[in-house]
Amino acid sequence: MGQLDGRVAIITGGARGQGAAEARLFAAEGATVYLTDVLTDEGAAVAAEVGGTFLEHDVTDVDQWKVVVEAALADHGRIDVLVNNAGILHWATMTETALDVWNRVVAINQTGVFLGMQAVAPAMKAQGSGSIVNISSVAAYSGASPCFAYGATKWAVRGMTKGAAQELGPFGVRVNSVHPGIIDTPMMAGTPLEQMSGNVPLRRHAEADEVAKLVLWLASDESAYATGAEFVLDGGMTA
Ligand code: NAP
C-alpha cells in the first residue's frame, strides 16, 4: 500500500531536478501525478516514465493555472496535493539586479506560488482536505546577498505559506514550506557544490530524492497535524 494511494497531485517544475524526483516518488507511492513545466520534452519524458500526465504550464500565467486545475478535476474530481516547486535562481546582488530580472524572479518564484495556492484552494476547500507544499529555500533565513531577488522571493514564500495556512486550516487544507540547502540539480549546474558544502555540518550536499522524501511526508497523512510550518533540509547549514 502506497502513502499516496488514490491521491491526485500537481507538481510544478516537474521536468527535472527536485520536481522530477517528487513525481517519481509520488507515483511509486500510488499517486496520480500531473507534472507541469515550461520544459516540454523533459516534462513529457518524466510523465511517460511515471505513468503521469504532463501539461505545459508557465506558473506565472493565471489562465494556464486554470487549465491545469480543470484538467485534474475533469479526470478525477479532486486535487489532493499541490507542490509549488517551479523556480529560477539568478545570481546578482541588490545593486546589480536589473528591474526586468527582479520582476521575472518575483513572477515565477513568488507570484507563481500565490497563483498556485489560489487555483487549487476552491477544490481543496470543497473536498475538505488537501496539502500544499511550497518549496522555499535556506535563502529565506539570511540576506542571501549574492542572489538578492531569489532570496527575497523565498522569504516571501515562507510568509505566504503561513498566511495561507491560517486561512485554509479551518477547511482541512494544510500549507507548509520546505527549505532545502544545497541540492544537486540542474539549477546548480556550474556551481562548486563540494566547495559550497565545505562548511555544512554534515559536510555534503543532498540529492533531489532526499528532498522528495520530505515533500512526500508533507503530502501524505503522516504529517496530518503539520500546517503553517517550515521544514528545513540543509545538513545543518542554518544551525
Ligand atoms: P531545476 O532543476 O532548475 O528545476 C526547476 C524547474 O522549474 C525547471 O524545469 C525550470 O525550467 C522550471 N521552471 C522555471 N520557470 C518556470 C515557470 N515559469 N513555469 C514553470 N516551470 C518553470 O531546480 P531545482 O533545484 O529542482 O529547484 C526546485 C525548487 O527548489 C525551486 O523552487 C528552487 O528555488 C528550490 N531550491 C533549490 C535548491 C538547490 O540547491 N537546487 C535549494 C533550495 C531551494 P527552466 O529550465 O526553464 O528554468
Side-chain angles (χ1 to χ4, degrees):
M1 185 168 153
Q3 288 189 59
L4 296 179
D5 278 346
R7 304 292 167 92
V8 177
I10 298 170
I11 302 170
T12 69
R16 67 182 199 192
Q18 293 172 51
E22 285 146 16
R24 291 187 180 100
L25 186 56
F26 280 25
E29 289 292 335
T32 297
V33 176
Y34 287 79
L35 64 97
T36 82
D37 207 298
V38 290
L39 298 178
T40 51
D41 291 348
E42 294 92 329
V46 176
E49 180 194 329
V50 306
T53 301
F54 173 72
L55 296 169
E56 184 176 0
H57 171 215
D58 181 335
V59 295
T60 68
D61 187 321
V62 67
D63 292 328
Q64 291 185 26
W65 269 110
K66 285 189 191 126
V67 171
V68 170
V69 165
E70 278 165 17
L73 290 177
D75 292 346
H76 303 284
R78 58 187 301 111
I79 298 168
D80 299 290
V81 181
L82 168 65
V83 184
N84 274 315
N85 166 78
I88 58 168
L89 170 65
H90 184 82
W91 293 105
T93 65
M94 183 276 292
T95 54
E96 294 166 342
T97 301
L99 181 59
D100 62 334
V101 168
W102 167 268
N103 286 337
R104 181 90 187 124
V105 175
V106 170
I108 296 172
N109 294 7
Q110 181 177 347
T111 309
V113 171
F114 159 63
L115 292 177
M117 293 194 293
Q118 207 171 53
V120 300
M124 288 184 171
K125 282 169 72 173
Q127 70 201 24
S129 65
S131 174
I132 299 172
V133 184
N134 294 329
I135 308 300
S136 177
S137 167
V138 288
Y141 294 94
S142 74
S145 62
C147 50
F148 179 80
Y150 180 84
T153 60
K154 294 303 186 180
W155 277 85
V157 170
R158 185 179 163 201
M160 293 194 305
T161 297
K162 295 185 190 303
Q166 287 174 335
E167 179 182 351
L168 298 178
F171 300 94
V173 180
R174 301 184 295 113
V175 192
N176 292 287
S177 58
V178 168
H179 301 261
I182 303 165
I183 316 298
D184 187 5
T185 69
M187 177 178 277
M188 300 298 276
T191 311
L193 297 184
E194 302 303 328
Q195 195 183 317
M196 282 177 76
S197 306
N199 290 326
V200 172
L202 287 183
R203 295 290 189 272
R204 68 174 181 89
H205 61 262
E207 302 300 328
D209 60 352
E210 297 183 78
V211 182
K213 288 176 192 167
L214 173 58
V215 176
L216 168 65
W217 182 76
L218 287 169
S220 77
D221 290 343
E222 296 297 309
S223 59
Y225 200 52
T227 196
E230 302 159 23
F231 294 85
V232 177
L233 189 88
D234 69 348
M237 219 174 151
T238 50

